[in-house]
Amino acid sequence: MDQDMPPWVYWSFAIGLFLYQTFDAVDDDFDSLWLLVLLRYLRIHELISSLATLTFYVQTWDEYYTQTLTLGIISGPVEGILTLCIVYAITGIKGGGSFWQQSMFQTLGIANHDFIPDYIYNLPFNEWYMVYGGFVLVLNTLQSAYNVMQHRRKVSKDPIEPLYGLVPYFATWALVPIYLYLQPIILNHHLIPFVFYMGLINAYSVGQIIVAHLVKNPEFPMYNVLTLPLALAVVDSFGPAIGVWPSALGSGTYQIAFVFLCMGLGFGVYGSFVYDIITSICDYLDIWCLTIKYPYDEKDETKKAK
């Protein structure tokens, strides 16, 4: 991810993502994971890549309380995916992800007037993407929060209580920049496994909310076991920074191994979660997954009809 790839790779991203959006009807829990990975290949800032998962969490949280899936004015599954498809296509035309690290104003031919601060004028495309993405995320989050609070008022329930359901998300993602700041070796050289780990954390959280919504569980799922290793890693890394306790993992081989271990743990926990859901539904409905347990038999159907 520290160098440009052949243009056909970006074109494959654009076409593949468009087809994915078109045929996405199986499982959207991995949406956030793949979105994170693809954004990193465009060399988009890691902060906005992480916050991109917010829309998946918030809209699922909104649906849990309102019983209605409400997409934002600029929704991730539609406008957001189409925006990324266009960005990938432009990247393919321009030859690589480094295109987005140029000054947007200069590239578009905007003159450097005195009233434009140098910082603003030199801001690259990927930083402007942060501004755009941050605005959309804040707008959609506020809209979802408003929807939930209005719904709770209509049913004569506490409108503030559901807001606590956003705490797990923000608490988890507050740890991300802290950890990456304290462990630059992960940020600069091993970000892909860490991104997978973060995507699995979000996928598991969203999956828990979906299941709680389907089974009408009155208790909102506030706990995600996958967040615990990240919290411990931050505590471990924070000690040397303030000179209070030594790091058990250090900042080299053990720290790298820890990130890969967390990624494996994420796949294991989320995989077992998906397996439990599939087998539970199949057992309850007496069906098989992806195959037909009871093939159609015309004679049997005729007997049942009689």
Side-chain angles (χ1 to χ4, degrees):
M1 293 189 301
D2 58 350
Q3 59 186 355
D4 291 336
M5 293 178 290
W8 67 264
V9 175
Y10 301 102
W11 279 109
S12 72
F13 286 169
I15 297 172
L17 188 60
F18 179 78
L19 292 175
Y20 157 77
Q21 179 204 36
T22 304
F23 298 110
D24 180 25
V26 179
D27 176 22
D28 58 322
D29 283 347
F30 271 105
D31 288 2
S32 54
L33 192 155
W34 296 119
L35 177 60
L36 284 172
V37 174
L38 292 175
L39 284 174
R40 291 310 306 150
Y41 275 109
L42 276 181
R43 301 165 84 170
I44 299 296
H45 196 282
E46 59 275 355
L47 178 59
I48 196 64
S49 300
S50 301
L51 290 177
T53 63
L54 177 60
T55 183
F56 294 95
Y57 185 94
V58 169
Q59 289 173 351
T60 309
W61 165 81
D62 183 343
E63 184 182 12
Y64 172 84
Y65 284 104
T66 64
Q67 308 301 311
T68 303
L69 177 60
T70 305
L71 299 179
I73 298 174
I74 304 177
S75 70
V78 183
E79 290 85 0
I81 296 296
L82 290 177
T83 298
L84 284 176
C85 290
I86 294 172
V87 169
Y88 293 140
I90 294 175
T91 308
I93 294 173
K94 294 299 182 180
S98 59
F99 170 79
W100 303 106
Q101 296 179 317
Q102 304 177 86
S103 167
M104 185 181 75
F105 282 9
Q106 185 176 6
T107 304
L108 296 178
I110 300 175
N112 189 3
H113 298 287
D114 294 336
F115 62 85
I116 303 178
D118 290 340
Y119 172 76
I120 298 297
Y121 186 82
N122 294 323
L123 209 61
F125 281 99
N126 54 4
E127 300 294 337
W128 280 112
Y129 184 86
M130 287 182 62
V131 176
Y132 158 74
F135 172 77
V136 171
L137 288 171
V138 170
L139 180 64
N140 288 347
T141 301
L142 292 177
Q143 182 184 359
S144 292
Y146 176 79
N147 291 338
V148 171
M149 296 177 73
Q150 285 294 95
H151 175 78
R152 297 282 288 188
R153 290 190 180 99
K154 288 181 180 179
V155 296
S156 300
K157 293 184 178 180
D158 183 5
I160 303 300
E161 181 183 353
L163 298 180
Y164 295 128
L166 297 176
V167 172
Y169 180 91
F170 288 107
T172 299
W173 290 96
L175 296 173
V176 172
I178 298 175
Y179 177 74
L180 293 178
Y181 173 77
L182 294 172
Q183 297 295 339
I185 189 173
I186 302 302
L187 173 62
N188 297 321
H189 301 289
H190 301 280
L191 195 58
I192 284 292
F194 185 76
V195 165
F196 269 99
Y197 172 48
M198 291 298 100
L200 288 162
I201 288 179
N202 192 69
Y204 186 46
S205 292
V206 171
Q208 288 181 306
I209 300 174
I210 292 174
V211 172
H213 171 231
L214 291 176
V215 301
K216 301 188 183 303
N217 186 347
E219 296 294 329
F220 184 86
M222 297 286 289
Y223 178 68
N224 185 337
V225 68
L226 292 177
T227 304
L228 183 59
L230 177 62
L232 294 176
V234 170
V235 173
D236 179 72
S237 302
F238 200 68
I242 59 177
V244 177
W245 59 80
S247 171
L249 295 173
S251 58
T253 303
Y254 291 124
Q255 195 68 235
I256 297 169
F258 171 78
V259 169
F260 278 92
L261 177 65
C262 288
M263 181 182 69
L265 176 66
F267 277 113
V269 170
Y270 185 73
S272 63
F273 170 72
V274 172
Y275 176 81
D276 287 342
I277 292 174
I278 292 175
T279 53
S280 297
I281 293 175
C282 288
D283 290 344
Y284 180 79
L285 298 177
D286 192 24
I287 59 175
W288 286 340
C289 178
L290 303 180
T291 57
I292 299 175
K293 186 173 184 178
Y294 300 108
Y296 178 82
D297 189 295
E298 186 175 354
K299 294 181 179 179
D300 290 342
E301 294 299 322
T302 303
K303 290 180 181 179
K304 291 179 182 179
K306 294 181 178 179

